[in-house]
Amino acid sequence: MAFFKTLDPSDIKTTTSYLNQLIDVLQESISGSDTRRSYNVFVTSSQDATTTYSVTGGLFQTVYDQDFDLATANPVLDMTIGLFAGSSTVLTGCYTGTDTTGKLLFSSNSMMMREKISIYQELAQTLLGDADLQFSSPFTGGITTDLIDEAIFLNFKRLFFRDKIKPETFATKLYTSAANSSTTPNLNNGVGAGPVIFSDVGAASAIEISYGGQVGNIVNASSTSQKVGLIFYDAGVVVLDAKKIISGSQFVSGVISAVTGAVTPSLTNQTIIGRASFPGANPSAKFIPDFFVSGSINDIVNHFGSVRVSSGSDTAVTFQNITNINSTLAFCRATADEFNFSTNTTFTDSTGRISVIDLGEESTQRAFTFVTSIGLYNAAGDLLAVAKLSRPIEKNDERDLTFRVRLDF
């Protein structure tokens, strides 16, 4: 049975604490076909006199911590790419004008250009507060070489980055070069070369505040003066400058999706990029701008996951998250004269005297109780929470006790 006591405002305190968790994303999780899911729901097509060519693709891909077909699989991050509308990659070579509705028009050797631009603008709106703004690394950089024209976006899921990413804990290992030869294409089958660690080392002392929250610069860990991207800690988003994390000027070769027909009869709705041995292929094609213009979003993300991250059991991405724990502490005080009796009917006999352990000692034995639970009620008398003690604690008129009840949320 219970006794009630009103808590004073001085008995209630609020506090905030933090919990950190280390997150590791393995190479095989990003590069694997079972752990990286694409959503092929977007259709692009063209038609000539005899044939309609169509490509089904998606706008992003999701990396899971295990086979995504399993019910226990958790999505870790989304990967996608975007192009700045005013960049030379967009305006030079493939942009052909604007129609009467304001829609941008592009040449037939490009793929999903409007979608790539829209993704960039969507992230700029979310993180910078204006869809027309351009990402820059460093964040406050003002010169042309600082501007990010071709961006690779890593959007971490709330389950893993929690309330924010802890500054100076992010790192990723990427391969800046893709081996190329006359016989082996480097688009999806190439072996990555030149692994480099990129991290936000030094960011804690130079954190900027943006529309999307705190932001830090990502640098080459072995040459910290080289800024290669941004990390938005509160949003859990990483923005990488494709020209700086991969050898964008390197020649590219391989098969990509296409809506202009096949270069060879065996490649339906596909085309060859950068292979001189195939008719119609561009032997001078480079990763930037050619691949980022002609490849679909799936083509580019597949290349990034399979070649630039590579396959293996090493860590590809790591960081520590921060979970904010808000706590209310209620100090429930029982003075020497309080809570020494029970309302249980067996606590007294039929005459109203306290039932004692040793018969005949009614006049000398003091009343005592054992505290087992503490209930917290609102002003209307509704039970809100119950705290259970790990063991009963004796309470008598010689003991002054304080129980601290902690509510975390």
Side-chain angles (χ1 to χ4, degrees):
M1 305 295 288
F3 283 100
F4 293 88
K5 181 178 180 179
T6 302
L7 293 174
D8 294 328
S10 60
D11 295 326
I12 300 176
K13 304 293 182 183
T14 58
T15 184
T16 301
S17 57
Y18 306 95
L19 177 66
N20 296 129
Q21 180 184 21
L22 177 63
I23 304 298
D24 273 325
V25 185
L26 300 181
Q27 291 175 320
E28 57 190 12
S29 295
I30 297 178
S31 63
S33 59
D34 294 332
T35 52
R36 177 159 49 87
R37 168 180 279 177
S38 60
Y39 306 90
N40 296 324
V41 296
F42 189 88
V43 178
T44 302
S45 64
S46 68
Q47 185 174 6
D48 58 22
T50 59
T51 308
T52 298
Y53 305 99
S54 63
V55 173
T56 303
L59 301 178
F60 66 95
Q61 295 184 10
T62 301
V63 174
Y64 287 76
D65 57 0
Q66 54 185 305
D67 189 334
F68 55 73
D69 286 331
L70 299 177
T72 55
N74 296 303
V76 180
L77 68 131
D78 293 329
M79 299 193 307
T80 189
I81 64 102
L83 299 178
F84 180 62
S87 67
S88 59
T89 298
V90 173
L91 297 178
T92 303
C94 62
Y95 173 72
T96 60
T98 305
D99 67 9
T100 56
T101 64
K103 183 172 65 175
L104 301 179
L105 302 176
F106 297 93
S107 62
S108 60
N109 63 351
S110 64
M111 176 72 71
M112 300 177 69
M113 290 299 293
R114 285 187 290 270
E115 288 69 35
K116 296 170 186 176
I117 293 172
S118 294
I119 290 172
Y120 193 105
Q121 292 176 332
E122 179 182 351
L123 271 295
Q125 177 66 57
T126 301
L127 301 174
L128 303 179
D130 189 336
D132 295 326
L133 292 180
Q134 187 172 9
F135 293 101
S136 174
S137 180
F139 182 69
T140 55
I143 62 177
T144 303
T145 55
D146 295 335
L147 301 177
I148 300 178
D149 293 330
E150 304 86 14
I152 296 174
F153 298 105
L154 306 180
N155 301 269
F156 292 96
K157 298 294 186 177
R158 181 72 168 78
L159 176 65
F160 288 90
F161 85 86
R162 300 298 174 91
D163 290 312
K164 67 183 300 184
I165 295 175
K166 183 178 179 180
E168 292 201 33
T169 65
F170 175 84
T172 180
K173 183 172 77 170
L174 301 174
Y175 292 83
T176 60
S177 179
N180 192 16
S181 69
S182 59
T183 58
T184 303
N186 61 3
L187 190 57
N188 292 318
N189 300 321
V191 178
V196 176
I197 302 296
F198 300 107
S199 73
D200 66 335
V201 59
S205 60
I207 287 181
E208 301 282 350
I209 302 298
S210 74
Y211 182 85
Q214 290 186 330
V215 55
N217 295 310
I218 296 178
V219 301
N220 185 330
S222 60
S223 179
T224 56
S225 62
Q226 181 186 359
K227 308 296 192 297
V228 302
L230 303 169
I231 177 170
F232 292 82
Y233 297 107
D234 296 292
V237 177
V238 172
V239 184
L240 299 173
D241 190 338
K243 282 198 296 283
K244 296 178 181 178
I245 65 168
I246 68 175
S247 299
S249 60
Q250 185 183 23
F251 291 110
V252 58
S253 63
V255 178
I256 61 173
S257 305
V259 292
T260 56
V263 172
T264 63
S266 62
L267 299 174
T268 304
N269 295 352
Q270 294 179 326
T271 189
I272 301 295
I273 183 171
R275 293 290 296 278
S277 58
F278 287 92
N282 177 13
S284 301
K286 297 181 179 181
F287 280 103
I288 299 174
D290 302 280
F291 179 47
F292 270 72
V293 168
S294 299
S296 68
I297 293 176
N298 271 347
D299 286 330
I300 299 172
V301 173
N302 285 338
H303 170 77
F304 181 79
S306 62
V307 178
R308 303 302 175 169
V309 173
S310 191
S311 178
S313 57
D314 292 341
T315 296
V317 179
T318 184
F319 61 88
Q320 290 184 35
N321 62 27
I322 296 177
T323 302
N324 299 327
I325 302 177
N326 299 298
S327 303
T328 297
L329 303 179
F331 294 90
C332 304
R333 310 180 195 278
T335 64
D337 295 329
E338 295 177 316
F339 303 104
N340 299 324
F341 298 88
S342 172
T343 56
N344 193 304
T345 56
T346 62
F347 198 77
T348 58
D349 58 20
S350 58
T351 65
R353 302 183 66 181
I354 297 174
S355 299
V356 296
I357 298 176
D358 300 317
L359 297 178
E361 301 292 334
E362 289 84 357
S363 61
T364 59
Q365 287 192 349
R366 301 190 305 274
F368 65 93
T369 59
F370 283 94
V371 182
T372 59
S373 302
I374 298 173
L376 299 180
Y377 293 77
N378 62 13
D382 301 318
L383 179 62
L384 303 179
V386 176
K388 293 288 187 179
L389 278 64
S390 59
R391 60 181 177 82
I393 296 179
E394 182 182 351
K395 178 67 181 70
N396 55 50
D397 60 4
E398 293 184 352
R399 304 191 73 178
D400 191 338
L401 301 178
T402 299
F403 299 95
R404 187 185 70 172
V405 179
R406 185 187 187 104
L407 299 175
D408 294 332
F409 53 92

